[in-house]
């Protein structure tokens, strides 16, 4: 549609056709209110651990104000190589198999743009992170969402994946643990998915930004399964587990031709990730394990608390195996996700994101983040319980 404030409709059609992020609209509404307890934010309530911040300050004081290599600081790429080995048993060469990016967001965009040609189908599981479908569309790919169900803990089952594979399928985009459901996969799921990827010659882009926040299950990357390293782009970053969202640090690990292709786009768009964030990330990956463990423990306590409280008030939800979200079913109230979250906000000043912000299969659900202080979570549960009580009265 032409905007009358412009002399001509300058915005490209494939951009004007993109929907606005439902999360952004919701935050807009939340920010106009006072006294809101927000369970809507997908970022840690912790401040970045001090020694990591100090590493950035130290680097700045010592004049680290330049560009780095396009791939990123070699010291950081080495730290990432060591991290991938100790955490997943994955071996990547810091020389040509690791690319440092501006958050996983950039890594995801580069990965998709590097491999998708017009009309290629990119399969992803839904409900999912808000950017997946738009990023695929911006690369002129065709997004193919596979809906996942509460009955299966929102895991992607190999049989559901098999049902949507066509000759045009090129990429499978995975995100486990999942935003917004907290789902994790079993090893059997991963084996089945990997077998399909090999059989149908798919490239897997695995967004594992929440993998450090896996609570009970074994942490396995699909890239570590037989025959998968050469067909997987492993994405990870420091935003969530190290509480470093503002540093904007992500990375991609993959065989050299894929990293080279991603690097070409990166060098002409971003050039390199910010040097101070890279310096801080060296410290985080070398000396941050204890901080990650401490924050994971805090999330774990909150996870159990909120899961129990929501189920007790009649909002059934599975125990999320990872990330910092629970995804209760609110369909039993007869309200849509949108109406439920709006009324909850208006009547009780509690903000939770409607499940539909994460795709149509999120209808009937809410995303509640427990990256929020325990006291606030407790008060939010009191308010939600009161709200539910009124609904059933
Ligand atoms: C699944 C998923 N991938 C990627 C991102 C983006 O992370 P980053 O801060 O590293 O860009 C997020 C942020 O919420 C996310 O939930």
């Amino acid at each position: 549609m032409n905007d009358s404030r412009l002399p001509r409709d300058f915005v490209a059609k494939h951009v004007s056709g993109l929907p606005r992020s439902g999360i952004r609209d919701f935050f807009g509404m939340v920010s106009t209110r006072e006294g809101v307890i927000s369970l809507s934010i997908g970022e840690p309530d912790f401040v970045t651990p001090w020694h990591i911040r100090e590493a950035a300050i130290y680097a700045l004081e010592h004049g680290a104000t330049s560009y780095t290599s396009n791939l990123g600081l070699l010291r950081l790429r080495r730290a990432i190589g060591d991290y991938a080995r100790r955490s997943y048993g994955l071996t990547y060469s810091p020389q040509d198999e690791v690319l440092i990016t501006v958050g996983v967001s950039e890594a995801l965009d580069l990965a998709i743009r590097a491999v998708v040609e017009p009309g290629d189908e990119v399969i992803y599981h839904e409900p999912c992170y808000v950017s997946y479908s738009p990023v695929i569309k911006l690369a002129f790919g065709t997004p193919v969402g596979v809906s996942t169900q509460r009955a299966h803990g929102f895991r992607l089952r190999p049989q559901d994946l098999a049902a949507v594979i066509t000759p045009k399928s090129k990429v499978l985009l995975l995100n486990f643990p999942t935003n917004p459901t907290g789902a994790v996969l079993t090893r059997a799921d991963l084996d089945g998915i990997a077998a399909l990827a090999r059989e149908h010659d798919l490239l897997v882009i695995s967004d594992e930004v929440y993998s450090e926040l896996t609570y009970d299950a074994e942490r396995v990357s699909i890239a570590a399964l037989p025959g998968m390293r050469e067909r997987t782009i492993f994405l990870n970053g420091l935003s969530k587990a190290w509480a470093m969202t503002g540093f904007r640090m992500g990375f991609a690990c993959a065989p050299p031709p894929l990293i080279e292709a991603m690097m070409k786009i990166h060098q002409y768009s971003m050039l390199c990730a910010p040097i101070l964030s890279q310096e801080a990330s060296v410290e985080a990956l070398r000396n941050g394990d204890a901080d990650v463990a401490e924050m994971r423990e805090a999330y774990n306590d909150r996870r159990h608390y909120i899961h129990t409280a929501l189920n007790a008030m009649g909002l059934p939800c599975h125990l999320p195996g990872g990330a910092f979200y629970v995804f209760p079913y609110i369909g039993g109230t007869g309200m849509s996700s949108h109406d439920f979250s709006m009324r909850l906000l208006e009547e009780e000043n509690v903000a939770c994101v409607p499940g539909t912000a994460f795709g149509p299969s999120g209808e009937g659900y809410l995303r509640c983040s427990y990256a929020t202080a325990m006291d606030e979570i407790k008060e939010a549960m009191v308010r939600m319980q009161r709200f539910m009580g009124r609904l059933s009265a």
Side-chain angles (χ1 to χ4, degrees):
M1 199 175 62
N2 199 2
D3 184 322
S4 58
R5 287 167 299 180
L6 295 176
R8 183 185 138 188
D9 192 0
F10 290 115
V11 178
K13 288 197 181 42
H14 67 285
V15 175
S16 57
L18 288 179
R20 278 168 59 97
S21 160
I23 293 199
R24 204 174 120 192
D25 286 345
F26 193 72
F27 282 156
M29 255 169 309
V30 172
S31 65
T32 60
R33 301 178 65 88
E34 279 185 18
V36 175
I37 297 185
S38 179
L39 305 183
S40 59
I41 311 219
E43 77 175 299
D45 56 316
F46 299 105
V47 175
T48 309
W50 170 241
H51 65 104
I52 300 174
R53 284 182 275 154
E54 207 174 27
I57 295 167
Y58 182 89
L60 183 59
E61 279 180 347
H62 287 76
T65 57
S66 62
Y67 293 133
T68 68
S69 112
N70 295 130
L71 287 173
L73 292 173
L74 184 57
R75 275 182 299 118
L76 178 55
R77 284 183 276 139
R78 288 203 174 111
I80 290 168
D82 292 346
Y83 168 73
R85 193 173 313 109
R86 73 173 185 270
S87 298
Y88 307 93
L90 290 167
T91 309
Y92 290 107
S93 161
Q95 300 297 337
D96 55 4
E97 295 187 316
V98 179
L99 170 65
I100 294 155
T101 58
V102 179
V104 175
S105 303
E106 194 216 351
L108 176 71
D109 184 43
L110 295 177
I112 294 282
R113 283 204 280 159
V115 301
V116 171
E117 293 180 56
D120 285 343
E121 292 180 354
V122 180
I123 303 171
Y124 58 94
H125 47 101
E126 219 200 75
C128 67
Y129 181 47
V130 290
S131 80
Y132 288 176
S133 172
V135 163
I136 297 164
K137 285 185 186 155
L138 285 171
F140 302 101
T142 306
V144 177
V146 186
S147 107
T148 56
Q149 270 88 42
R150 180 163 62 101
H152 313 124
F154 293 100
R155 288 159 29 236
L156 174 61
R157 298 185 312 160
Q159 61 265 47
D160 297 333
L161 171 60
V164 300
I165 296 176
T166 75
K168 288 189 176 165
S169 308
K170 183 167 188 187
V171 177
L172 170 63
L173 175 51
L174 296 178
N175 169 229
F176 292 97
T178 308
N179 174 10
T181 61
V184 293
L185 294 180
T186 63
R187 192 178 261 273
D189 295 328
L190 275 173
D191 284 338
I193 292 168
L196 286 167
R198 288 189 301 263
E199 183 187 338
H200 295 277
D201 213 5
L202 302 178
L203 173 78
V204 175
I205 299 176
S206 188
D207 173 353
E208 304 192 28
V209 70
Y210 293 101
S211 80
E212 284 291 334
L213 303 178
T214 302
Y215 300 103
D216 309 314
E218 172 195 19
R219 207 157 21 106
V220 185
S221 173
I222 194 162
L225 299 187
M228 291 307 293
R229 185 190 184 280
E230 58 266 39
R231 60 172 68 253
T232 303
I233 303 179
F234 169 81
L235 307 183
N236 210 328
L238 290 104
S239 284
K240 310 292 177 173
W242 286 264
M244 290 176 67
T245 48
F247 285 86
R248 310 303 306 120
M249 271 287 104
F251 53 91
C253 302
L258 291 168
I259 290 298
E260 175 66 16
M262 291 171 67
M263 206 273 282
K264 277 190 199 160
I265 307 173
H266 174 75
Q267 75 182 1
Y268 294 130
S269 51
M270 214 57 70
L271 214 157
C272 66
I275 189 167
L276 295 177
S277 299
Q278 294 193 51
E279 291 285 0
S281 300
V282 174
E283 173 65 17
L285 291 173
R286 291 278 180 226
N287 300 311
D289 286 2
D291 306 287
V292 171
E294 203 176 303
M295 289 187 267
R296 181 170 49 230
E297 214 29 59
Y299 293 132
N300 192 23
D301 289 346
R302 300 171 190 179
R303 172 178 79 118
H304 284 292
Y305 181 85
I306 198 166
H307 169 254
T308 306
L310 288 168
N311 278 297
M313 69 177 78
L315 293 178
C317 59
H318 69 291
L319 181 65
F324 38 52
Y325 310 105
V326 275
F327 206 58
Y329 177 65
I330 53 87
T333 63
M335 273 189 266
S336 69
S337 298
H338 175 265
D339 292 352
F340 187 100
S341 50
M342 288 313 296
R343 270 189 64 184
L344 184 62
L345 181 62
E346 275 158 18
E347 294 179 26
E348 291 291 352
N349 253 351
V350 174
C352 301
V353 185
T356 41
F358 309 96
S361 50
E363 182 54 273
Y365 295 90
L366 281 190
R367 188 191 77 174
C368 310
S369 162
Y370 50 89
T372 308
M374 191 61 140
D375 287 352
E376 301 226 335
I377 292 176
K378 286 186 173 166
E379 174 58 20
M381 292 302 108
V382 168
R383 295 183 188 186
M384 283 179 81
Q385 161 97 61
R386 195 161 55 210
F387 179 73
M388 289 300 290
R390 274 201 308 279
L391 287 184
S392 56

